[in-house]
Amino acid sequence: MMIHTCVALRPCRPPLISSSKSTLQRPPNCKFSVRNCIRDPNNSQKLVMEVKEKLEKEYYDLPIGENGRDDEDMILWYLKDRRFSVEEAIAKLTKAIKWRQEFGVADLSEDTVKSTAKTGKAYVHDFLDVNDRPVLIVVASKHLPDVHDPRDNEKLCMFLIEKALSKLPAGQEQILGIVDLRGFGTKNADLSYLTFLFDVFYYYYPKRLGDVLFVEAPFVFQPIWQLTKPLLKSYASMVKFCSTETVRKEYFTEETLPISFRD
């Protein structure tokens, strides 16, 4: 299954230079820097509360609780993603919360995705990689867009992303994506789904995706990648084309290596 391929801060204005003394002056509206927010938990918490209060007043109809408008961990995550720009964080966060609600992410379960999961097109590996990241594996040769319902594919995708994130150990924030391209053919090509996946990670799970390994990409995949790459923008830099040998040696131990990469 091809996964649907899925920080810019608003910087303060640059320091002003006095023509007479050539000294740097801080603009009056530049009260803090991203670095200060990251280093000073108090600054971060103040911004979290500011966002939380704005959401309560202006978006009171959004759900609350985990992954809701009052989820402080989620608010902080989006602030970091938007480099502590309150307005940008609110815009992206509200879009994500609304999307989760409309898509029905909270209603997804093993049972609701069972039939699609049986295809073996994608799964969350039982073990972490050597960097303690949960691993989401996609088997491209088992993705058949002319056979499988696109909506079911998206539901499985979302369920597996949520499952992978639930396995994050303390101190880890990202997951590893592996797209096994062995046996890939034109019948497996699905640009819309590939784009969907990377869109999902950009808009709704920002900075949750670490490396993306494209393993043993055949020649037929190259033109598809050339079409898709411009659509991914900065996310394209996460993609690493590699061999099964690289997967074995650099990302897993003998005990944690996925069975499909043991041959």
Side-chain angles (χ1 to χ4, degrees):
M1 141 188 160
M2 288 291 296
I3 285 189
H4 208 84
T5 72
C6 146
V7 187
L9 298 180
R10 178 179 297 171
C12 296
R13 291 178 298 172
L16 304 178
I17 299 179
S18 169
S19 58
S20 59
K21 298 183 179 180
S22 296
T23 57
L24 297 179
Q25 299 175 348
R26 183 182 298 275
N29 65 336
C30 187
K31 297 181 180 179
F32 60 88
S33 68
V34 173
R35 181 176 297 178
N36 286 341
C37 282
I38 295 174
R39 290 180 176 178
D40 187 350
N42 291 328
N43 277 345
S44 299
Q45 187 59 29
K46 288 178 182 178
L47 292 178
V48 167
M49 297 311 298
E50 181 179 347
V51 171
K52 188 175 179 180
E53 290 171 3
K54 283 180 176 289
L55 291 175
E56 183 177 3
K57 292 178 181 178
E58 301 172 16
Y59 298 92
Y60 55 86
D61 56 335
L62 289 179
I64 59 176
E66 186 177 4
N67 296 311
R69 62 173 170 78
D70 61 344
D71 186 331
E72 294 185 9
D73 289 336
M74 189 177 186
I75 291 173
L76 179 58
W77 188 262
Y78 275 78
L79 277 169
K80 289 179 179 178
D81 174 61
R82 295 292 86 190
R83 303 203 175 210
F84 294 94
S85 166
V86 169
E87 295 305 319
E88 289 187 15
I90 288 176
K92 194 168 184 178
L93 181 57
T94 53
K95 180 177 180 178
I97 295 174
K98 290 176 182 178
W99 177 83
R100 291 180 65 89
Q101 189 175 32
E102 293 168 358
F103 192 93
V105 175
D107 299 324
L108 298 175
S109 66
E110 296 280 359
D111 287 337
T112 60
V113 301
K114 183 186 300 183
S115 61
T116 312
K118 283 182 179 179
T119 64
K121 63 170 64 182
Y123 60 94
V124 175
H125 186 43
D126 291 334
F127 299 97
L128 306 177
D129 75 346
V130 294
N131 295 310
D132 290 332
R133 295 177 297 187
V135 183
L136 175 56
I137 299 177
V138 177
V139 183
S141 63
K142 295 182 179 182
H143 179 64
L144 302 171
D146 291 336
V147 177
H148 305 145
D149 183 270
R151 181 65 173 179
D152 289 339
N153 289 334
E154 292 176 1
K155 287 181 178 180
L156 177 62
C157 171
M158 298 313 307
F159 174 75
L160 293 178
I161 291 174
E162 289 282 316
K163 183 177 180 179
L165 292 176
S166 72
K167 295 167 66 73
L168 284 171
Q172 182 54 263
E173 299 178 331
Q174 296 183 321
I175 66 176
L176 170 68
I178 298 179
V179 181
D180 186 351
L181 289 165
R182 290 174 294 179
F184 175 88
T186 55
K187 68 181 183 298
N188 309 118
D190 193 348
L191 288 179
S192 62
Y193 187 61
L194 194 61
T195 306
F196 164 80
L197 179 62
F198 277 87
D199 280 351
V200 161
F201 275 107
Y202 177 78
Y203 291 110
Y204 313 125
Y205 298 91
K207 295 187 179 299
R208 288 302 192 184
L209 185 61
D211 296 329
V212 182
L213 308 182
F214 280 10
V215 184
E216 302 291 357
F219 179 78
V220 69
F221 181 74
Q222 298 307 317
I224 296 172
W225 172 242
Q226 292 306 315
L227 288 173
T228 308
K229 186 176 179 180
L231 302 176
L232 307 184
K233 300 179 181 179
S234 62
Y235 270 64
S237 64
M238 294 183 179
V239 174
K240 299 179 180 179
F241 287 83
C242 67
S243 65
T244 54
E245 187 69 12
T246 298
V247 174
R248 296 188 193 107
K249 291 185 176 181
E250 298 184 15
Y251 292 90
F252 297 95
T253 64
E254 290 187 10
E255 293 75 19
T256 62
L257 183 67
I259 294 176
S260 59
F261 291 101
R262 291 180 183 272
D263 298 333

